[in-house]
Amino acid sequence: MEDLTKMRIVLLLLPLCLETVICYSNGKVEVACGDMTPQHDHVPSPKDPPFTITTDKSQFSPEDEIKVTLSMASSGKKRYFKGFLIEARNVGNLREIVGSFKLINSDISQLLQCDNKVNSAVSHTSDSHKTEVQVIWVAPPDSPSSVQFMLTVAQGYKEYWVKIAGPVVSQRGVVPPPQTTFGGSTGAETTAFSTLSRSFTSEGCGIRKSCLRDPQGCDPQNDTACHFLSFRAEGNGVMFELSGPADGYVSFALSLDKWMGNDDAYLCIKDTDRVDIKAAFLVGRTHPEISSENILKDTAWRLSDGVIQCSFRRDINLQPDNGNRFILDQMYYLFMAHGRAENGLTHRHDRQPLISTYQKVVTGPPEDLTGSRSPLLIKYHGAFMLIAWMSTVSAGVIMARYFKPDWPERNILGQKVWFQLHRMLMTLTVLLTLVGFVLPFMYRGGWSKRAGIHPYLGCVVMALAVIQPVMALFRPAPDASRRYIFNWMHFGTGTIVQIIAVVTIFLGIHQQALLLPAPWSTGVLAFIVVWFVLADLVLEVHRRGVLPIGKYFKNVKIYTEHINSDDKEEIMFVPDENETSSMESCFKNIVLAVYLCGNLGFLTVLLSTIGSV
């Protein structure tokens, strides 16, 4: 009899249990309206949700209708979902459910009453496989300024995502907050992934927020080539904005020095049609170590015209176990870099990182910061090599080849004028080359493995530049029979080293550490070379008598016309040899002066460009 009684109780309770189980598959989930958490006795999935939620409008007026679409993303193993719950909430108070819904397809969706408001939520009607759901949201007459759509989606009993942050729509005339499309929970413990409704702007740089930009003064809202970082303190956290054109990722790091390594880094990595925002730590010149701790809040992103943009907020002070995260109320150098990424793995940055000129307190007063992509030592390296092999060496060559006979009797410190000038210019070339050669090794701390053939050619130039003056020390006397051997060796070695140096400089201006703007910088450098060749050619033609300026005056006929007569008197003017030599010397001086002025002008342009990169 007792067993029979227990059997009857079980039979009476069984329909209630079945109803409870079936109600979730039927979408009757009013019990979950508040926290939007299904009663599955499992924790939500930690993976990024493979769904997108979009709206057909970003602005509205009271009583307007907005189409809301929930659909599967292009990636993911499962191409369907079973259950869902969609709500609209007040951005100013995310606990408040706002407005009502209308159905587009009642076969897969149904209306719910949440927060004692009729038709204030939408859920599934069955656990059938779905790839897309569309509903209509109706704005109430007393709608708040901004509304955010929230949803919970389930692919199975154990695999579901809770309170996914969706798009933000705002009333017309209201500046919208960052617009959310998909991500994790919006709770205080986790991070919401969002999309930005508009591009970042440089407005307020140095006034309301600190900015680091490349090119200096650019605006990411109007210039797609602008690399942009801004940050401002907000309560106990700092809000960061990062933007720039890139194939795979944009990033920035906080560093105690100007050398990559032991840095607190943050990356915005493009993954097909979305952006992953990660915190990482750079141990050295290797792949960043992605943090397993989710310490970023209010994350948002945007992809447009090849530009990656992301924003997030980070607490100034973190828990002690986040040892690789820097405290934000201290001084750091700011690094900004970009590059390629494949399957979530970042590659070496495409260009040298932009590094702030000086250290900055992240939570300090707003500043419009300056920075450089080229280290100071590398800038000096490029400047010294340009001056040496594009200016002083060419002037020294011209002086030795064409100005020997111009001061036959004048000496400086016991040597001919032309020789002293030639030796001074060549000594300066060697000294500049020596100093410039050492600087990259001081910066790198060794040999660069990523500079291609450039450093190898540089070593050849350095060796030949030292051999030349050593060879000159052992030159035979001018009247010695072996003098012509020295002359040809000295001329040949000098010409070879000059050609190799020019090639090395052309390769150098395209190195990552000193990347001058192309193609015009290459054109200016090519013009300097052509300018020297033209000057050398004119002087060589003149020396060989093809352009004998002095002889022009030997056949000049001067006619004087009498005022009262038609007679003409022919007068022949024939200058002496000294006057002819003076004329030719004057012509060479003019050519040299014109060459030096042009060389100096174009060299100044390149040097100023080096200073600005």
Side-chain angles (χ1 to χ4, degrees):
M1 186 66 180
E2 184 178 352
D3 292 338
L4 183 59
T5 303
K6 291 181 178 180
M7 182 70 70
R8 289 176 179 175
I9 294 173
V10 171
L11 292 173
L12 289 172
L13 293 176
L14 183 58
L16 296 176
C17 295
L18 288 175
E19 182 181 359
T20 303
V21 173
I22 293 172
C23 74
Y24 294 126
S25 64
N26 289 339
K28 303 297 184 180
V29 291
E30 283 88 348
V31 67
C33 283
D35 59 9
M36 303 186 72
T37 303
Q39 309 300 312
H40 287 192
D41 297 326
H42 288 276
V43 296
S45 174
K47 302 177 183 178
D48 292 335
F51 317 104
T52 61
I53 180 170
T54 59
T55 58
D56 64 345
K57 298 177 183 177
S58 61
Q59 292 185 325
F60 68 93
S61 298
E63 300 185 352
D64 276 359
E65 294 185 354
I66 296 177
K67 182 187 289 186
V68 182
T69 302
L70 167 64
S71 59
M72 289 295 302
S74 58
S75 60
K77 295 180 179 179
K78 293 182 180 180
R79 300 300 178 90
Y80 64 86
F81 57 91
K82 293 182 178 181
F84 64 91
L85 174 63
I86 302 177
E87 298 177 1
R89 300 205 175 192
N90 182 358
V91 170
N93 178 13
L94 289 176
R95 294 184 179 88
E96 179 187 354
I97 299 176
V98 178
S100 61
F101 287 91
K102 293 180 180 180
L103 301 180
I104 293 180
N105 186 349
S106 59
D107 292 336
I108 61 174
S109 58
Q110 62 181 325
L111 300 172
L112 300 179
Q113 179 174 323
C114 288
D115 199 17
N116 295 321
K117 297 178 180 179
V118 178
N119 302 335
S120 57
V122 182
S123 69
H124 54 280
T125 58
S126 69
D127 60 356
S128 62
H129 292 188
K130 308 168 189 66
T131 58
E132 184 179 88
V133 173
Q134 290 186 329
V135 295
I136 301 295
W137 178 75
V138 182
D142 58 346
S143 178
S145 59
S146 296
V147 174
Q148 184 169 36
F149 292 96
M150 317 289 288
L151 68 156
T152 292
V153 181
Q155 283 188 321
Y157 188 77
K158 296 181 180 180
E159 192 171 18
Y160 60 92
W161 290 261
V162 175
K163 216 173 185 180
I164 301 172
V168 172
V169 294
S170 301
Q171 292 200 46
R172 288 178 175 82
V174 175
V175 177
Q179 189 178 16
T180 305
T181 52
F182 46 75
S185 166
T186 57
E189 303 83 8
T190 55
T191 301
F193 291 84
S194 314
T195 62
L196 298 161
S197 61
R198 63 178 65 185
S199 175
F200 297 139
T201 176
S202 62
E203 183 180 356
C205 285
I207 301 173
R208 296 188 299 274
K209 58 186 178 182
S210 295
C211 299
L212 178 62
R213 296 177 275 178
D214 181 38
Q216 181 66 26
C218 67
D219 187 349
Q221 191 172 31
N222 303 318
D223 184 3
T224 57
C226 181
H227 292 270
F228 176 82
L229 170 67
S230 74
F231 49 92
R232 63 184 183 275
E234 292 184 352
N236 62 348
V238 176
M239 192 69 188
F240 293 92
E241 295 176 335
L242 181 62
S243 172
D247 293 332
Y249 72 92
V250 291
S251 64
F252 76 91
L254 308 175
S255 180
L256 296 173
D257 52 34
K258 288 192 173 184
W259 187 255
M260 182 177 173
N262 299 322
D263 304 325
D264 184 6
Y266 302 88
L267 301 95
C268 303
I269 307 171
K270 180 181 177 182
D271 184 8
T272 312
D273 56 353
R274 60 167 295 164
V275 175
D276 290 330
I277 305 173
K278 305 289 186 182
F281 187 75
L282 300 175
V283 177
R285 291 176 173 261
T286 58
H287 289 293
E289 297 180 359
I290 302 298
S291 173
S292 59
E293 296 287 336
N294 191 5
I295 52 103
L296 307 181
K297 304 176 181 179
D298 300 333
T299 57
W301 57 265
R302 183 175 184 267
L303 289 173
S304 178
D305 299 326
V307 177
I308 301 174
Q309 295 189 329
C310 65
S311 65
F312 61 86
R313 183 168 57 85
R314 210 214 81 177
D315 290 342
I316 297 174
N317 295 286
L318 297 173
Q319 298 297 325
D321 54 349
N322 284 287
N324 292 336
R325 304 273 77 82
F326 292 172
I327 300 174
L328 299 183
D329 58 359
Q330 297 182 8
M331 297 182 67
Y332 305 103
Y333 287 104
L334 296 165
F335 284 54
M336 190 160 57
H338 65 279
R340 297 179 299 108
E342 294 178 356
N343 300 321
L345 182 65
T346 59
H347 293 265
R348 183 173 180 262
H349 39 75
D350 295 334
R351 293 182 60 189
Q352 191 81 0
L354 180 69
I355 305 175
S356 61
T357 306
Y358 50 84
Q359 289 181 316
K360 163 68 179 170
V361 178
V362 179
T363 58
E367 293 183 63
D368 202 354
L369 303 169
T370 59
S372 173
R373 290 189 181 274
S374 181
L376 189 60
L377 290 178
I378 299 299
K379 287 185 177 183
Y380 278 119
H381 165 74
F384 288 165
M385 291 304 185
L386 272 175
I387 295 172
W389 295 100
M390 289 294 173
S391 187
T392 59
V393 73
S394 57
V397 167
I398 288 176
M399 196 64 61
R401 288 181 184 174
Y402 306 112
F403 285 85
K404 286 183 181 181
D406 284 26
W407 303 289
E409 305 300 329
R410 295 180 61 183
N411 293 338
I412 299 178
L413 300 177
Q415 297 287 344
K416 298 293 184 182
V417 174
W418 73 267
F419 179 75
Q420 290 289 43
L421 291 175
H422 171 74
R423 182 162 61 179
M424 178 190 70
L425 290 169
M426 291 308 182
T427 301
L428 181 59
T429 298
V430 174
L431 290 176
L432 289 173
T433 304
L434 281 169
V435 176
F437 180 81
V438 172
L439 294 180
F441 291 93
M442 292 175 58
Y443 169 71
R444 295 286 182 186
W447 187 266
S448 174
K449 298 179 180 179
R450 300 182 182 272
I453 197 175
H454 176 76
Y456 296 97
L457 293 178
C459 290
V460 174
V461 171
M462 184 69 259
L464 293 178
V466 173
I467 288 174
Q468 276 289 77
V470 173
M471 188 188 306
L473 290 176
F474 297 97
R475 67 187 183 280
D479 56 350
S481 60
R482 294 175 298 163
R483 178 70 179 207
Y484 78 95
I485 299 177
F486 163 78
N487 291 340
W488 278 106
M489 289 184 64
H490 193 65
F491 169 78
T493 304
T495 303
I496 291 172
V497 67
Q498 191 174 6
I499 293 173
I500 297 176
V502 169
V503 173
T504 306
I505 290 174
F506 269 97
L507 295 174
I509 65 172
H510 298 296
Q511 292 294 316
Q512 195 179 85
L514 189 63
L515 185 61
L516 300 189
W520 74 265
S521 60
T522 305
V524 173
L525 191 61
F527 192 86
I528 293 178
V529 176
V530 173
W531 190 245
F532 167 72
V533 172
L534 287 176
D536 186 72
L537 184 63
V538 169
L539 291 172
E540 183 65 27
V541 168
H542 173 263
R543 184 176 69 170
R544 293 181 180 274
V546 180
L547 193 64
I549 299 299
K551 294 180 180 179
Y552 286 167
F553 294 93
K554 294 181 179 180
N555 299 318
V556 172
K557 295 180 179 181
I558 301 177
Y559 296 93
T560 61
E561 185 173 356
H562 296 286
I563 297 176
N564 299 320
S565 173
D566 292 335
D567 296 336
K568 293 181 179 180
E569 180 181 3
E570 182 178 321
I571 302 175
M572 181 69 72
F573 173 74
V574 181
D576 60 20
E577 292 299 325
N578 290 333
E579 193 168 355
T580 300
S581 176
S582 176
M583 290 290 183
E584 293 182 350
S585 179
C586 180
F587 172 75
K588 289 191 294 184
N589 290 336
I590 292 173
V591 173
L592 179 62
V594 171
Y595 166 72
L596 291 178
C597 289
N599 178 273
L600 181 61
F602 289 107
L603 187 66
T604 302
V605 171
L606 286 179
L607 292 177
S608 63
T609 304
I610 290 176
S612 64
V613 296

